[in-house]
């Protein structure tokens, strides 16, 4: 008789309150990407090499989306380093430089399969309005969590 051990996957939320840092001080773009990427690593969404893949993506394609928003994510080859879909958020009320643009909200993204496209779409929809972007940049953790997760 053979027993097949099934590794039980922990079901992860897309966003945890601990992955929201508000009132961040301006920092170099690479440092910000490393910080938001490390939050994804620490929460078990990705393996450490994914952070370097986020930096690699930025070299070939800016993740600046307009309205003070940047959505750093890894290159396609880094999909193997994603364990679960998740996001991490940093807000910069004073703004921080992002390749010549001013960014107030940075949302690091890891998406299993094509889930990153759905995540990008949802975030883009919520952030298309410049007023929402401004409010989010100045918001507290609970407000950001509620807006991005749809939960209280």
């Amino acid at each position: 008789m053979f027993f097949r051990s099934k590794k039980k996957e922990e079901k992860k939320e897309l966003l945890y309150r601990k992955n929201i840092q508000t009132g961040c001080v301006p920092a170099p773009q690479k440092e910000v990407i490393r910080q938001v990427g490390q939050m994804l690593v620490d929460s078990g969404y990705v393996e450490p090499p994914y952070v370097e893949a986020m930096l690699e993506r930025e070299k070939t394609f800016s993740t600046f989306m307009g309205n003070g928003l940047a959505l750093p994510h890894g290159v396609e080859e880094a999909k193997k380093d994603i364990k679960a879909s998740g996001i991490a958020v940093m807000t910069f009320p004073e703004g921080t430089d992002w390749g010549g643009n001013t960014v107030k909200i940075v949302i690091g993204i890891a998406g299993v399969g094509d889930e990153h496209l759905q995540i990008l779409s949802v975030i883009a929809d919520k952030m298309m309005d410049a007023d929402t972007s401004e409010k989010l940049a100045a918001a507290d953790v609970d407000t950001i969590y509620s807006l991005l997760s749809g939960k209280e």
Side-chain angles (χ1 to χ4, degrees):
M1 189 176 240
F2 293 97
F3 294 97
R4 188 179 303 174
S5 77
K6 271 192 166 178
K7 190 172 130 184
K8 188 165 180 178
E9 293 270 331
E10 175 192 349
K11 177 67 178 146
K12 293 197 170 293
E13 296 289 328
L14 187 64
L15 176 63
Y16 293 103
R17 281 180 174 83
K18 70 177 183 174
N19 287 344
I20 301 171
Q21 293 182 4
T22 59
C24 300
V25 295
Q29 182 180 356
K30 286 182 179 180
E31 186 179 316
V32 173
I33 293 172
R34 281 193 175 94
Q35 288 175 4
V36 79
Q38 191 60 50
M39 285 193 282
L40 294 172
V41 171
D42 292 346
S43 295
Y45 294 119
V46 300
E47 297 290 343
Y50 188 78
V51 179
E52 289 306 313
M54 293 170 79
L55 292 164
E56 196 60 36
R57 161 79 63 197
E58 210 64 43
K59 289 179 189 173
T60 57
F61 180 81
S62 175
T63 57
F64 176 72
M65 299 292 149
N67 284 343
L69 173 68
L71 301 175
H73 54 285
V75 294
E76 195 65 30
E77 296 78 36
K79 288 281 187 194
K80 66 187 182 322
D81 296 319
I82 300 173
K83 298 191 283 187
S85 294
I87 63 174
V89 182
M90 295 176 74
T91 64
F92 298 85
E94 298 169 31
T96 192
D97 180 61
W98 202 269
N101 297 294
T102 300
V103 167
K104 293 191 171 196
I105 304 160
V106 174
I107 303 176
I109 298 173
V112 174
D114 286 336
E115 285 182 17
H116 73 285
L117 297 173
Q118 183 181 354
I119 296 166
L120 287 168
S121 174
V122 168
I123 293 170
D125 281 351
K126 292 182 187 285
M127 302 300 294
M128 278 184 13
D129 177 21
D131 288 341
T132 302
S133 180
E134 282 293 322
K135 286 177 191 163
L136 201 60
D140 64 10
V141 170
D142 289 336
T143 303
I144 294 168
Y145 179 78
S146 179
L147 180 72
L148 294 179
S149 72
K151 298 177 182 179
E152 291 297 318

